[in-house]
Amino acid sequence: MTGSFAAKQPRVPQLPEAGDVGRLIMVRHGQTHSNVRRILDTALPGAALTDQGISQARLLGKTLAWNHDRLGVVATSEALRARQTGTWAISEMHRHVRTDQNVLVMKGLKEVDAGELEGRRDREAHLEFGSYMWEWLRGETQKKLPGGESLDDVIGRFEPTFAAMRARYLEHGRDAVVVAHGAAIRLMGHVLAGVDGRWVLTNSLPNTGMVVLEPKSGPNGHRWRVASWDGATDVPLS
């Protein structure tokens, strides 16, 4: 498995065409040594990027360079893999365009705390983590992983940050890039935009895959829409 992982060529992350409003661009970090070994790695600081992960981050930087004129902020979680992804991406972006953009490391953007499952790589641990995700997606948002977090906990960390980014950047036509973590990004796509739970559960994000949300107005329903889920634009809603 490790050999096949290393042999894959990194792909260029794709952003949908920009509209009049800013976008919340949630990016999963690059590949880590824990990813290769399928280790549940959620505690800080976490594993470092592999060489493949660095290549992925640099390709992300090229994508950001193409969109640099709309870029308001590039924020990352405190996890080492997210910080490295953001740093390599910005470094690559600086090679292509003139910009004073830097990485902003923010608390609250870390992965869902796996609790007692932390550090495990066996099939049973992954199935248990997935079963909790399914319960959350079915509405049991207060249910906590043993020794870990509930979806309510995750929402409490992410939502205020996204609301602040929306007001400061998106409503003024600027994009906010958040380098974070696969499970948390997928869950927030469900919470903010109403993405169907089965879709969220079965459509994981590859390393440097993106979920792009746009704000929408209106008194009823969700206040965000999905512009792209790792390239898919016709995403089912619940």
Side-chain angles (χ1 to χ4, degrees):
M1 180 178 290
T2 301
S4 62
F5 250 108
K8 291 181 180 178
Q9 294 299 312
R11 61 176 190 165
V12 179
Q14 298 295 322
L15 277 170
E17 185 175 348
D20 295 331
V21 297
R23 300 170 292 184
L24 175 63
I25 302 168
M26 299 185 286
V27 187
R28 188 186 175 204
H29 58 80
Q31 185 197 74
T32 73
H33 296 282
S34 290
N35 291 154
V36 173
R37 298 183 62 199
R38 292 188 54 78
I39 294 172
L40 287 167
D41 178 12
T42 68
L44 297 175
L49 296 182
T50 62
D51 289 343
Q52 175 88 341
I54 292 171
S55 296
Q56 292 166 339
R58 293 183 66 179
L59 288 174
L60 171 63
K62 290 184 179 181
T63 299
L64 297 184
W66 299 333
N67 295 268
H68 76 279
D69 56 325
R70 292 176 54 96
L71 201 55
V73 66
V74 177
T76 78
S77 84
E78 296 175 279
L80 176 60
R81 56 194 179 277
R83 290 185 283 116
Q84 288 181 322
T85 300
T87 298
W88 277 105
I90 292 296
S91 176
E92 183 68 23
M93 188 172 72
H94 286 168
R95 294 183 61 225
H96 298 277
V97 295
R98 287 181 174 272
T99 174
D100 58 359
Q101 191 67 243
N102 290 301
V103 174
L104 176 64
V105 179
M106 301 186 70
K107 291 184 177 180
L109 300 177
K110 69 183 185 70
E111 180 61 290
V112 180
D113 187 341
E116 295 176 7
L117 300 177
E118 181 71 17
R120 288 176 57 179
R121 57 179 297 196
D122 54 283
R123 181 172 182 270
E124 290 74 16
H126 284 276
L127 287 174
E128 184 173 353
F129 190 95
S131 72
Y132 274 84
M133 280 193 65
W134 180 233
E135 291 297 319
W136 296 334
L137 294 165
R138 293 175 60 192
E140 298 291 332
T141 59
Q142 78 290 344
K143 190 171 183 179
K144 288 181 180 284
L145 280 158
E149 288 187 300
S150 67
L151 178 53
D152 285 343
D153 294 328
V154 178
I155 295 170
R157 294 193 282 105
F158 275 81
E159 203 162 38
T161 298
F162 287 170
M165 289 179 173
R166 176 174 176 148
R168 182 170 182 179
Y169 301 109
L170 275 63
E171 292 179 0
H172 301 282
R174 309 295 298 280
D175 293 336
V177 176
V178 175
V179 181
H181 307 272
I185 290 172
R186 291 155 63 198
L187 289 166
M188 291 308 299
H190 167 75
V191 170
L192 296 177
V195 178
D196 178 73
R198 291 189 181 276
W199 172 273
V200 172
L201 193 67
T202 57
N203 284 270
S204 59
L205 281 179
N207 294 111
T208 62
M210 299 179 180
V211 172
V212 182
L213 304 183
E214 293 179 345
K216 67 177 185 178
S217 59
N220 300 317
H222 293 277
R223 298 181 63 235
W224 299 83
R225 64 171 293 272
V226 180
S228 172
W229 185 294
D230 195 38
T233 56
D234 188 17
V235 177
L237 303 179
S238 55

